[in-house]
Amino acid sequence: MVGAGPGGSAAAYHMARHGLRVLLLEKTEFPREKVCGDGLTPRAVRQLVRMGVDTSEKAGWLHNKGLRVIGGGVRLELDWPDLASFPNYGLVRTRLDFDDMLANRAVEAGALLRTGVNVSGPILDDEGRAIGVLAKVGAGKEPVEFRAPLVIAADGVSGKLPLAMGLAKRDDRPIGVAVRRYYHSPVRADDDYLESWLELRSASDPSVLLPGYGWIFGLGDGRVNVGLGILNSSDAFGKTNYRSLLTDWLAGTPDDWGMRDETNADGPILGAALPMGFNRVPHYTRGMMLVGDSGGMVNPMNGEGIAYAMESGELAAEVAVQALARPAGADRERALRAYPAELSLRFGGYYRLGGVFVKLIGNPQIMRLATKHGMPHPTLMRFVLKLLANLTDPRGGDAMDRIINGLTKVAPAV
């Protein structure tokens, strides 16, 4: 297992729990920072519960009731839906200890974690099949080989391992860029809603609409996570100083929020790419499975990646357990090919809808119309929340669930 982010640690946990010998390799040392919004929807909460994580407030989590949406002159609070399939609360926790916690859960389940291991590429047999990885270990960068019957790449956006296997990113899939910064802001730190800004306005000229969407997530420790994201369907993508964009927007926020004052900043503005909609496929080939960001599994609708990294990690583990119980050869390969097939069945149609959504909101006129006419209608916005967060009951749900589930079934899988 290469990469101990949420996807790699989830896969390692579920594989170890089912009795497999698992080696989890991570290039950095824990705790370590990652660029992220730090907000978790009920979809991600469900995966934490499946890993036996205590998500109570006593355990250090900040709970939230739903999503507050700001746009078109309207401020709307939408509670997470009450569903049989998902909990009705979200969470906030910084990646600094979130990833550390998940890696420790994998270790507690029986996985062996090695940090400070920089994997440089796969070891291939004569048929081009991955049978392990090459790595450099420690300060001396000592070359080491790790061999295994199955390699799982959870190495994030960079995707060194998939690239070495000839799996390049697809240019016809959505991609986003996000920047974020922490601020000390006691006024906003204990918010019980995640907050999404559909419109960002310039502080120097409020009539100017800035590209992208923003968020403000209270962390419960006196700080907030503030950021913005831009999709490649926007004309501003790749042509904008995103850090300046963030400070321009925040300069227009109220003084007592503390987000326009450098002295309140906790660290620099950091950025990261968001690989969306299965932008690297196939998710299994020649002895290697792709999990999370390495397989481009960020939700195009809302930029959420953690839930899908953890879900794909659990699914990879389920398939691996069945496959490795079979003898090496055609029988095992048949079992491993179930992984991309199941991923496509589970998310393919939804991600196809997400691709259409990204193209639509990339048009400023369409986005303005949608915000102006959609925001004043709470029932419509509750439907939009379910759609964007991918929160429906597959069976026995309400009319909204049935419409969304129907749309994802008729949409051709990506």
Side-chain angles (χ1 to χ4, degrees), residues 115-127:
T115 57
V117 179
N118 197 341
V119 173
S120 54
I123 301 170
L124 304 178
D125 65 12
D126 294 339
E127 297 176 349

Side-chain angles (χ1 to χ4, degrees), residues 57-135:
E57 292 178 326
K58 287 189 296 184
W61 299 90
L62 180 66
H63 284 219
N64 56 71
K65 301 175 183 175
L67 184 68
R68 180 184 302 114
V69 186
I70 296 172
V74 178
R75 181 178 180 272
L76 190 62
E77 290 184 346
L78 301 165
D79 287 354
W80 300 120
D82 284 317
L83 300 168
S85 305
F86 298 95
N88 65 351
Y89 63 94
L91 299 168
V92 177
R93 190 153 187 158
T94 69
R95 293 289 297 275
L96 188 66
D97 64 350
F98 178 80
D99 288 19
D100 192 11
M101 179 193 315
L102 293 191
N104 284 329
R105 285 297 296 154
V107 171
E108 289 164 7
L112 175 62
L113 171 66
R114 289 197 58 177
T115 57
V117 179
N118 197 341
V119 173
S120 54
I123 301 170
L124 304 178
D125 65 12
D126 294 339
E127 297 176 349
R129 178 185 175 84
I131 55 172
V133 295
L134 301 165

Side-chain angles (χ1 to χ4, degrees), residues 228-293:
L228 62 84
I230 297 179
L231 299 165
N232 63 347
S233 57
S234 168
D235 289 339
F237 186 84
K239 306 171 188 174
T240 304
N241 184 323
Y242 305 123
R243 288 165 175 79
S244 297
L245 201 65
L246 180 65
T247 55
D248 188 10
W249 166 47
L250 293 180
T253 57
D255 283 339
D256 62 349
W257 289 9
M259 298 175 201
R260 61 172 67 177
D261 189 347
E262 281 292 319
T263 60
N264 284 347
D266 183 13
I269 298 174
L270 299 176
L274 303 174
M276 299 175 166
F278 290 162
N279 78 337
R280 187 180 275 121
V281 291
H283 292 115
Y284 170 74
T285 183
R286 295 176 289 135
M288 182 179 292
M289 304 169 94
L290 311 187
V291 162
D293 284 3

Side-chain angles (χ1 to χ4, degrees), residues 51-235:
M51 286 182 66
V53 174
D54 179 1
T55 63
S56 69
E57 292 178 326
K58 287 189 296 184
W61 299 90
L62 180 66
H63 284 219
N64 56 71
K65 301 175 183 175
L67 184 68
R68 180 184 302 114
V69 186
I70 296 172
V74 178
R75 181 178 180 272
L76 190 62
E77 290 184 346
L78 301 165
D79 287 354
W80 300 120
D82 284 317
L83 300 168
S85 305
F86 298 95
N88 65 351
Y89 63 94
L91 299 168
V92 177
R93 190 153 187 158
T94 69
R95 293 289 297 275
L96 188 66
D97 64 350
F98 178 80
D99 288 19
D100 192 11
M101 179 193 315
L102 293 191
N104 284 329
R105 285 297 296 154
V107 171
E108 289 164 7
L112 175 62
L113 171 66
R114 289 197 58 177
T115 57
V117 179
N118 197 341
V119 173
S120 54
I123 301 170
L124 304 178
D125 65 12
D126 294 339
E127 297 176 349
R129 178 185 175 84
I131 55 172
V133 295
L134 301 165
K136 293 179 180 177
V137 178
K141 296 184 178 179
E142 176 189 351
V144 179
E145 293 186 358
F146 298 99
R147 293 179 180 256
L150 182 63
V151 176
I152 296 183
D155 51 349
V157 179
S158 64
K160 275 189 195 176
L161 280 176
L163 279 172
M165 296 287 283
L167 301 179
K169 293 176 188 171
R170 292 187 55 154
D171 294 331
D172 61 340
R173 302 289 161 84
I175 191 164
V177 171
V179 294
R180 70 102 172 100
R181 192 178 207 178
Y182 294 124
Y183 284 91
H184 294 281
S185 177
V187 173
R188 297 299 316 272
D190 295 314
D191 201 344
D192 54 5
Y193 284 85
L194 300 178
E195 186 167 282
S196 178
W197 291 57
L198 303 184
E199 294 177 341
L200 307 179
R201 298 199 174 270
S202 171
S204 56
D205 184 356
S207 67
V208 174
L209 202 59
L210 302 172
Y213 63 93
W215 69 81
I216 300 174
F217 298 163
L219 299 176
D221 61 0
R223 297 180 302 159
V224 289
N225 180 319
V226 186
L228 62 84
I230 297 179
L231 299 165
N232 63 347
S233 57
S234 168
D235 289 339

Side-chain angles (χ1 to χ4, degrees), residues 236-372:
F237 186 84
K239 306 171 188 174
T240 304
N241 184 323
Y242 305 123
R243 288 165 175 79
S244 297
L245 201 65
L246 180 65
T247 55
D248 188 10
W249 166 47
L250 293 180
T253 57
D255 283 339
D256 62 349
W257 289 9
M259 298 175 201
R260 61 172 67 177
D261 189 347
E262 281 292 319
T263 60
N264 284 347
D266 183 13
I269 298 174
L270 299 176
L274 303 174
M276 299 175 166
F278 290 162
N279 78 337
R280 187 180 275 121
V281 291
H283 292 115
Y284 170 74
T285 183
R286 295 176 289 135
M288 182 179 292
M289 304 169 94
L290 311 187
V291 162
D293 284 3
S294 71
M297 297 187 199
V298 174
N299 181 349
M301 301 269 200
N302 67 356
E304 180 180 20
I306 289 175
Y308 300 90
M310 295 178 72
E311 277 191 63
S312 63
E314 182 179 15
L315 177 59
E318 290 173 1
V319 171
V321 167
Q322 294 299 322
L324 294 175
R326 303 181 181 192
D331 199 22
R332 181 179 291 177
E333 284 299 302
R334 191 177 302 113
L336 288 168
R337 284 196 294 273
Y339 176 61
E342 179 59 29
L343 274 177
S344 181
L345 188 66
R346 192 177 295 190
F347 300 128
Y350 180 79
Y351 283 172
R352 174 69 73 183
L353 288 178
V356 174
F357 171 80
V358 165
K359 288 176 183 173
L360 288 174
I361 66 169
N363 184 315
Q365 288 82 12
I366 292 177
M367 187 61 182
R368 263 196 298 273
L369 282 170
T371 302
K372 180 181 177 182

